[in-house]
Amino acid sequence: MTRGASADEVRKAFRKLAKKHHPDTNPGDKASEEKFKRVSAAFDIVGDPDKRKKFDAGEIDADGRETSRGFGGGGGGGGPWGQPGGGWSPRGQAEGPDVDLNDILSEILGRSARGGAQGGQGGGFGGFSQRGADVRAKLEIDLEDTIHGPKKRIAFSDGRTIDVSIPKGAEEGQTLRLKGQGSPGRAGPGDAFIELTIRPHSIFRREGDNLVMDLPVSIPDAILGGKVQAPTPDGPVNVSVPKGGGSSLRLKGRGLSDAKGKRGDLLARIVLMLPEAIDPELEAFAETWRAERPYTARRR
């Protein structure tokens, strides 16, 4: 949807946002309650053809009040909240949680609401209230980064580099929003949106919050039990293989992290490994065993 969205498109977008942030849907959530109020206030402007026309022309602000047009043609003066061009303050006058009216109107009218008109004429979406453009980039991270949440440096096409904090529990395709890290503009910079891509791991496979791997175990260790070294995202550890082997071992708290840092488990599936060369003694033992004590291999 663009800034020139039809009245029907605007109403559909408003209903979607209003349902999402309605107090009945988010009981006790003050941030959602405040955003619901601002969404309703924004729709009161852009949902009314006459008010929307005046708002786009910079004749009224986001609260429906007439604005000063002192900067409309490049002259002196300023908007009612100290914003040049008679536009509206990017934060409005809402009390309580930090609610960005640019974001709300952008969601109703499309992301192009940030850019507005060119040439610095008037207020409303464009003019001297124009914010910088958003920038987007992709960042490839390791599986371990989703567990420990380190900082990663990313370079943008304009030559800037910033350090990005990887959240614990990050998901493939998750997008991080860095407010104020976009392109500069008269009313402040836009935002940066960083899409995360997780590299495939050579050992671990992801299953929800758990990790799964194959753990090579020798036949003697599987039969008699013993200690073997197992890799984990935190470094190698010694684990006990029970007598008779079993099908897998569970290493608690060695899996992935959720958003709160709580970790899942690491499941090590035991894989029996034969020696690289079968010596005559082992071969003779296997022949006797098969003849005297036959058994059928079963899937565990």
Side-chain angles (χ1 to χ4, degrees):
M1 193 161 49
T2 66
R3 183 184 168 195
S6 68
D8 284 341
E9 290 174 319
V10 169
R11 280 194 294 271
K12 288 179 181 178
F14 165 71
R15 284 196 294 267
K16 181 178 179 180
L17 285 172
K19 182 178 180 181
K20 177 180 178 182
H21 299 290
H22 196 282
D24 290 346
T25 308
N26 306 275
D29 189 336
K30 295 297 183 182
S32 289
E33 180 180 348
E34 188 59 47
K35 193 162 187 179
F36 175 77
K37 293 178 183 178
R38 301 308 292 172
V39 167
S40 299
F43 181 69
D44 184 58
I45 300 295
V46 297
D48 182 292
D50 292 333
K51 290 182 180 179
R52 180 175 175 180
K53 183 178 180 180
K54 291 180 180 180
F55 183 71
D56 284 341
E59 297 174 6
I60 61 174
D61 60 28
D63 288 326
R65 298 176 298 191
E66 293 186 1
T67 62
S68 168
R69 298 301 302 278
F71 269 85
W81 303 327
Q83 298 295 315
W88 44 285
S89 165
R91 297 290 174 195
Q93 291 184 319
E95 297 179 357
D98 189 24
V99 179
D100 192 331
L101 290 178
N102 269 305
D103 288 343
I104 292 174
L105 287 166
S106 293
E107 288 185 70
I108 294 178
L109 294 177
R111 297 301 292 180
S112 61
R114 279 193 183 278
Q118 301 296 320
Q121 296 298 317
F125 288 123
F128 287 89
S129 290
Q130 180 177 341
R131 294 182 64 185
D134 293 337
V135 297
R136 296 182 179 273
K138 289 188 177 183
L139 178 61
E140 193 174 49
I141 61 175
D142 293 320
L143 184 69
E144 290 86 348
D145 295 331
T146 71
I147 297 172
H148 305 298
K151 286 185 179 292
K152 293 288 184 178
R153 180 157 294 183
I154 185 170
F156 291 103
S157 58
D158 59 5
R160 291 183 301 122
T161 60
I162 60 173
D163 289 330
V164 180
S165 294
I166 306 300
K168 291 183 178 181
E171 299 277 353
E172 172 73 23
Q174 180 177 343
T175 299
L176 308 180
R177 179 185 182 187
L178 308 179
K179 300 197 76 173
Q181 295 292 340
S183 299
R186 292 188 179 95
D191 299 334
F193 293 87
I194 313 299
E195 183 180 346
L196 301 179
T197 300
I198 303 174
R199 297 185 187 96
H201 202 279
S202 60
I203 298 174
F204 308 117
R205 304 182 296 279
R206 185 171 191 163
E207 289 186 1
D209 287 336
N210 294 329
L211 291 176
V212 177
M213 71 174 184
D214 294 332
L215 179 63
V217 175
S218 70
I219 292 178
D221 284 336
I223 294 174
L224 303 174
K227 294 270 188 186
V228 299
Q229 192 177 78
T232 78
D234 309 295
V237 298
N238 290 324
V239 298
S240 296
V241 176
K243 193 173 183 178
S247 60
S248 65
L249 303 176
R250 181 181 292 270
L251 284 67
K252 290 192 174 182
R254 297 282 185 170
L256 295 174
S257 296
D258 62 16
K260 296 181 179 179
K262 182 180 178 181
R263 294 183 60 174
D265 300 334
L266 172 59
L267 305 178
R269 294 175 176 168
I270 292 178
V271 178
L272 294 181
M273 300 296 292
L274 292 172
E276 292 184 4
I278 307 297
D279 60 46
E281 186 178 355
L282 178 58
E283 187 174 353
F285 171 76
E287 288 285 356
T288 302
W289 191 9
R290 182 167 62 181
E292 297 179 357
R293 299 179 182 180
Y295 77 98
T296 301
R298 65 185 185 276
R299 184 183 297 276
R300 297 190 179 187

